[in-house]
């Protein structure tokens, strides 16, 4: 994933309303009106959030007659998870080395 695409995805995920919308869409597709229900914001505000999510590739909008369902697109989330996983492995290795060092220090003090 290109750094600019990753930045766009993280920027989209930075907002709690957008994360809540994604959580709702994880349960299945929904219309803009359905997505707006739990929020105390206007439909145009929700539409702006949806545009950010769509630009990041996190959602798609379909068209079935007059019904325009939004759907979660998991690919960018998988790419974020892969990026985070690299750093998790780094930190796990660092903590393992620290634990080994502390064990060696404790064993040296015990003697």
């Amino acid at each position: 994933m290109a750094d600019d695409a990753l930045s766009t995805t993280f920027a989209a995920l930075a907002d709690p309303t957008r994360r809540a919308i994604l959580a709702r869409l994880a349960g299945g597709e929904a219309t803009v009106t359905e997505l707006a229900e739990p929020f105390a914001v206007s439909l145009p505000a929700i539409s702006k959030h949806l545009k950010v999510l769509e630009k990041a590739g996190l959602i798609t909008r379909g068209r079935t007659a007059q019904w325009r369902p939004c759907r979660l697109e998991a690919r960018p989330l998988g790419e974020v998870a892969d990026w985070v996983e690299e750093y998790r492995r780094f930190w796990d290795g660092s903590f393992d080395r620290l634990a080994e060092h502390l064990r060696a220090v404790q064993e040296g003090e015990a003697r």
Side-chain angles (χ1 to χ4, degrees):
M1 176 180 232
D3 285 339
D4 54 320
L6 188 61
S7 295
T8 301
T9 302
F10 274 118
L13 295 172
D15 185 274
T17 300
R18 291 192 287 268
R19 290 192 306 271
I21 289 169
L22 291 177
R24 165 55 184 88
L25 290 174
E29 59 187 37
T31 65
V32 175
T33 304
E34 291 168 337
L35 292 170
E37 276 179 16
F39 303 105
V41 296
S42 66
L43 279 175
I46 292 297
S47 290
K48 286 181 182 181
H49 284 298
L50 293 174
K51 285 178 185 173
V52 172
L53 292 169
E54 194 170 23
K55 181 182 176 196
L58 291 163
I59 67 164
T60 57
R61 296 195 220 194
R63 185 178 291 263
T64 307
Q66 292 180 346
W67 193 58
R68 294 208 51 193
C70 297
R71 292 179 194 86
L72 178 66
E73 293 295 330
R75 182 193 48 78
L77 294 174
E79 292 167 349
V80 166
D82 292 345
W83 184 85
V84 170
E85 178 62 19
E86 290 180 39
Y87 290 92
R88 188 197 61 77
R89 284 193 302 267
F90 167 78
W91 283 108
D92 283 350
S94 295
F95 289 135
D96 290 346
R97 287 188 298 281
L98 176 61
E100 289 173 19
H101 174 72
L102 292 174
R103 263 193 303 278
V105 168
Q106 286 176 339
E107 288 173 2
E109 290 176 356
R111 293 183 189 163

